[in-house]
Amino acid sequence: MLFHSVEAHEAFILAFQASQDQGIILMDYGVAENEWAADGSYPENEIIPIGCGVREYNIHLPFQSWWPQAVLWAQSTDAMTTIHIIKKGEL
């Protein structure tokens, strides 16, 4: 379990669901349009180094497949981080 209490887990679920319901696109996670390439396009290719960096593998990431998943990842990561910050008394 990611959280040390049922209350923290429930708070995470509520925050994550609210973020989804409101369609929030977060900054600083690479999912907001103004964080993309200078031409405003979502990066659809990613170079992955293989081994000791001698070889590279180019992975195609179609916008319609990966961007919605990236948004969910950002929303869940932000909700989880916020819950942990609150628990530590920093917020």
Side-chain angles (χ1 to χ4, degrees), residues 60-89:
H60 182 65
L61 307 167
F63 178 84
Q64 64 274 18
S65 298
W66 285 97
W67 185 74
Q69 299 305 314
V71 169
L72 289 175
W73 169 82
Q75 291 169 336
S76 64
T77 301
D78 189 70
M80 183 175 64
T81 301
T82 301
I83 298 303
H84 282 291
I85 288 171
I86 290 169
K87 182 180 180 272
K88 289 171 60 177

Side-chain angles (χ1 to χ4, degrees), residues 5 7 16 24 26 30 38 42 47 52 57 61 67 71 73-74 84:
S5 71
E7 292 82 11
F16 181 40
I24 294 172
L26 297 154
Y42 184 75
I47 304 296
C52 296
Y57 187 71
L61 307 167
W67 185 74
V71 169
W73 169 82
H84 282 291

Side-chain angles (χ1 to χ4, degrees), residues 29 37 41 43 56-57:
Y29 290 94
S41 63
E56 295 178 335
Y57 187 71

